[in-house]
Amino acid sequence: MSTKKKKVLTNGDTTFYQFDAQMGFWGVPNTEKEVSFQQRPEVPVRVKHNSDGNRDEEISLGENERSIVCFGGSHTWGGAVDQEARYTNRLSEIMNRKVVNMGHCSLGLDQVCLSVLQKSSKYKPEIIVIEQYPWAVHRVLNNYVNGYVRPHFVIDSKGKLQLQKVSSLAKIPFFRNIIGNFFAFRKEFTEFKAGINLKNTSGGTFVDPIFVSWKTRHYDYMYEIIDKILVVIRDYCYQNKIKLLFGLGAIQQQFGPKSYSELVDYDLPRKRLIELLEKNKINYVDMTEPMLKEHTQSDPVIYEDGHINAKGHDLFARVLHKEFIKLNWIAE
């Protein structure tokens, strides 16, 4: 008797995603599948989305009950880990209160911002946590991801942040591909003018230019957009009496061989992001030191591709909990 082989999800897979008019894409609601991930293809993982399209249980809150809501990308969603092992679930167990997971694969900080503004109020957050993988800040420049057109922000001639919504035509795959390919070409042409070729990764010597000090001018506009997005999120949380905390993960390259080139700095996007958080008086906790400290070759905190594993998620939850106490947001 033969058994059906489980699908192995690779990075960029959209099995659990569909078009969303506000966010560009969002989780398919009310779906449940047993799949495997490329990080450990031999291990089956059950993925279940609730009626809101989030990888979480149905959330119900008491009349005066408030929650902790966590946003982020595939690390928060829980790539290659069981739902119960994610940092949001572990945090809920540690604190004995409801923690909502609104992480989605490949979300940019712009989409996270829109999610905070448009989707978080349903869960009455007391605390919002935004998990940000420092390398992924570049997504605010990438308007076409995994076959979906993303809403994005631009800065107008008066220095104001303006939202570019997703065209209604993008609901139709044919038109979505046309729009997306235009955005992809525009991005590549801008990079070409800056001497950047992200497709030339052959030879084993490729270094992402986001880590290269002499390419920082190309990313100045990106960090300007991020600066203004942070202000929008901060002000929304302040106006709605929500405590805000960013959790910055360690990037994959920091676990590997050290770069001895003065032109390559794997800390560069993290340091730039921290500068902006501090400038805007936004609380953050940097996971780099604790993650590197607990990581060993025999007992790592990440998979080979940089996604955090169950041990990394447990550490992430414990560090967040300690930070809540340190900020006097919860009792010890």
Side-chain angles (χ1 to χ4, degrees), residues 3 6 28 75 101 121 123 147 159 213 216 230 275 279 291:
T3 57
K6 295 180 181 63
V28 177
H75 293 269
N101 188 308
S121 61
Y123 301 110
S213 58
T216 53
L230 292 176
E275 286 176 7
K279 170 193 170 188
M291 290 189 75

Side-chain angles (χ1 to χ4, degrees), residues 89-187:
N89 295 73
R90 290 289 299 119
L91 192 59
S92 179
E93 293 172 4
I94 293 168
M95 298 181 64
N96 191 29
R97 63 179 297 180
K98 286 173 183 170
V99 178
V100 181
N101 188 308
M102 293 189 71
H104 286 287
C105 301
S106 300
L107 280 193
L109 187 58
D110 40 13
Q111 289 167 299
V112 168
C113 175
L114 294 174
S115 303
V116 170
L117 270 57
Q118 299 174 13
K119 293 179 178 286
S120 66
S121 61
K122 174 179 180 177
Y123 301 110
K124 298 187 288 186
E126 178 185 358
I127 299 172
I128 282 179
V129 174
I130 297 177
E131 169 267 314
Q132 180 64 60
Y133 190 63
W135 169 82
V137 293
H138 75 87
R139 287 178 182 153
V140 301
L141 296 179
N142 193 354
N143 310 142
Y144 187 50
V145 177
N146 302 336
Y148 289 100
V149 177
R150 300 171 60 257
H152 60 282
F153 290 100
V154 297
I155 299 174
D156 65 19
S157 58
K158 297 180 180 178
K160 301 289 187 181
L161 194 67
Q162 299 291 341
L163 174 64
Q164 305 293 300
K165 296 181 179 180
V166 174
S167 168
S168 58
L169 289 174
K171 185 176 182 179
I172 303 170
F174 174 77
F175 292 111
R176 186 161 69 232
N177 289 336
I178 293 175
I179 297 168
N181 284 323
F182 166 74
F183 282 141
F185 170 78
R186 187 175 66 179
K187 177 176 179 288

Side-chain angles (χ1 to χ4, degrees), residues 197-266:
N197 182 3
L198 294 176
K199 291 185 176 180
N200 184 23
T201 60
S202 60
T205 59
F206 174 78
V207 176
D208 194 307
I210 201 170
F211 302 124
V212 179
S213 58
W214 62 284
K215 294 292 184 182
T216 53
R217 277 189 171 276
H218 172 73
Y219 294 102
D220 284 345
Y221 179 68
M222 175 188 79
Y223 287 111
E224 189 178 352
I225 291 175
I226 291 169
D227 183 24
K228 294 182 183 298
I229 290 174
L230 292 176
V231 171
V232 172
I233 298 172
R234 180 201 66 189
D235 290 353
Y236 173 85
C237 290
Y238 177 78
Q239 292 161 9
N240 290 277
K241 297 179 171 59
I242 300 169
K243 301 174 181 70
L244 173 64
L245 179 69
F246 271 72
L248 309 183
I251 62 170
Q252 176 189 6
Q253 289 84 350
Q254 291 173 306
F255 293 89
K258 182 179 178 181
S259 171
Y260 292 98
S261 170
E262 293 183 1
L263 297 177
V264 177
D265 183 1
Y266 294 131

Side-chain angles (χ1 to χ4, degrees), residues 245-293:
L245 179 69
F246 271 72
L248 309 183
I251 62 170
Q252 176 189 6
Q253 289 84 350
Q254 291 173 306
F255 293 89
K258 182 179 178 181
S259 171
Y260 292 98
S261 170
E262 293 183 1
L263 297 177
V264 177
D265 183 1
Y266 294 131
D267 265 346
L268 193 55
R270 182 182 65 88
K271 289 188 289 191
R272 291 288 297 269
L273 183 56
I274 286 175
E275 286 176 7
L276 297 178
L277 291 168
E278 291 181 346
K279 170 193 170 188
N280 292 302
K281 296 180 172 56
I282 297 173
N283 292 303
Y284 69 91
V285 57
D286 188 354
M287 303 286 179
T288 303
E289 184 177 340
M291 290 189 75
L292 292 176
K293 184 178 179 180

